[in-house]
Amino acid sequence: MGERAAYPSDLTDEQWAVIGPFLQAWKTRHPSVSGHQGRYELREIVNAIFYQNRTGCQWAYLPHDLPPKSATYYYFARWRDDGTDQVIHDLLRCQVREKAGRTEDPSAVVLDTQSVRVANNVPAATTGKDAAKKVPGRKRGLAVDALGLVIAVVVTAASVTDNAIGIRLLDQVVAHTPTVTRAWVDAGFKQDMALHGAVLGVDVEVVKRADTRPGFVPVRRRWIVEQTLGTLMLHRRLVREYESRPESSVSRTWWASTANLVRRLTGTSTPTWRQR
């Protein structure tokens, strides 16, 4: 890290020991054509991504003692496009599950969606209005396991139905985690999704709210994914949609979840903006 002062979002030595080997292996497999090793350490690149995720700052506002946009975005886009961000996340998730006494891959998932307003720079072609929640923007769909660890991510226009997003989530879950045989959802997911799940070998169960109390009420099974969505909101870059491409928003979600995983593996924490 050199001589610069550390930011709260920076990887500690212990955390880098967890995530570093994966990125070093990636670097070995992708040598520069010219043989140039790069001006910035991969640890600092990840620190810049974590900083931007936590603070929500614009690319041009990355601190001068972190790698600039040109270098940070280069790696962010490479890892987004070749799936490295998800591969690293999934390997760490398996470690967290084993540490918790679980098998590497889950047998059940919980699905939910979240509508998020967009910034002015986001193309209108990738946005819409959530008819139920009256929120204009994009919709983030998650599938999580019983520990609240992210299994699949989908980002679409907010006008896309929960049912359509749920079908895409199930496809991803089965493709990456074929051990899953059961999924719990809320009443926003319709019969088409249950039929699609049956074709994939996944039993989809709708968990309905059993009371009429106003406000937020934790619901059996469903509260797990709702808690995960809330935890991800501690990363300000996810509070509003700033990404021009939905794929970048998905990558942001993987990195936010990865930051949570390395903290769970090392027993460390990061101060949140809500504490300020």
Side-chain angles (χ1 to χ4, degrees):
M1 284 175 42
E3 300 179 355
R4 72 170 179 82
Y7 293 104
S9 56
D10 280 354
L11 290 161
T12 65
D13 291 343
E14 189 178 9
Q15 291 172 346
W16 177 244
V18 172
I19 194 175
F22 300 120
L23 290 176
Q24 295 295 352
W26 178 89
K27 187 71 171 179
T28 301
R29 295 193 305 270
H30 298 81
S32 169
V33 176
S34 63
H36 183 58
Q37 294 301 311
R39 179 179 175 184
Y40 302 99
E41 297 179 4
L42 292 182
R43 178 173 177 174
E44 285 292 78
I45 297 295
V46 177
N47 282 337
I49 293 173
F50 279 8
Y51 179 93
Q52 192 176 38
N53 258 16
R54 271 284 176 171
T55 65
C57 74
Q58 297 164 278
W59 282 107
Y61 284 80
L62 281 172
H64 295 300
D65 51 3
L66 285 174
K69 172 189 175 180
S70 57
T72 303
Y73 183 78
Y74 169 81
Y75 284 101
F76 174 81
R78 282 290 301 273
W79 294 335
R80 174 199 65 200
D81 295 341
D82 69 9
T84 296
D85 50 7
Q86 183 177 356
V87 169
I88 292 175
H89 173 275
D90 289 351
L91 290 170
L92 295 178
R93 186 192 68 227
C94 290
Q95 293 182 29
V96 171
R97 286 184 57 83
E98 288 185 326
K99 184 178 179 180
R102 305 283 184 127
T103 58
E104 282 191 4
D105 294 316
S107 60
V109 293
V110 191
L111 279 60
D112 201 4
T113 64
Q114 176 186 53
S115 293
V116 183
R117 294 181 182 274
V118 298
N120 293 334
N121 66 290
V122 177
T126 64
T127 68
K129 187 172 184 178
D130 186 330
K133 300 175 183 176
K134 310 302 181 184
V135 175
R138 283 187 181 151
K139 190 177 288 186
R140 182 182 300 125
L142 291 186
V144 307
D145 65 10
L147 299 178
L149 308 180
V150 180
I151 305 297
V153 183
V154 168
V155 175
T156 69
S159 53
V160 176
T161 65
D162 286 1
N163 215 41
I165 293 175
I167 288 173
R168 290 177 58 181
L169 284 171
L170 280 183
D171 287 339
Q172 288 191 23
V173 167
V174 171
H176 293 283
T177 318
T179 54
V180 171
T181 58
R182 192 173 188 84
W184 291 291
V185 299
D186 64 24
F189 297 88
K190 307 302 181 184
Q191 186 64 23
D192 286 350
M193 183 180 168
L195 294 174
H196 188 71
V199 172
L200 297 175
V202 179
D203 180 21
V204 179
E205 178 185 345
V206 176
V207 181
K208 297 182 179 180
R209 183 168 167 169
D211 59 66
T212 57
R213 284 179 290 171
F216 173 75
V217 177
V219 180
R220 183 180 64 89
R221 306 293 187 187
R222 281 167 42 189
W223 70 269
I224 298 171
V225 65
E226 291 165 351
Q227 181 185 63
T228 300
L229 287 167
T231 301
L232 289 175
M233 289 299 97
L234 296 176
H235 299 261
R236 273 185 158 179
R237 189 79 180 190
L238 299 182
V239 174
R240 184 178 289 269
E241 269 292 322
Y242 297 103
E243 311 302 332
S244 297
R245 297 174 54 182
E247 297 87 349
S248 293
S249 183
V250 170
S251 184
R252 289 286 180 190
T253 307
W254 288 128
W255 282 114
S257 185
T258 294
N260 293 338
L261 291 175
V262 295
R263 287 195 295 273
R264 293 180 71 156
L265 285 170
T266 58
T268 53
S269 62
T270 300
T272 74
W273 51 269
R274 289 179 176 173
Q275 295 171 336
R276 302 300 179 185

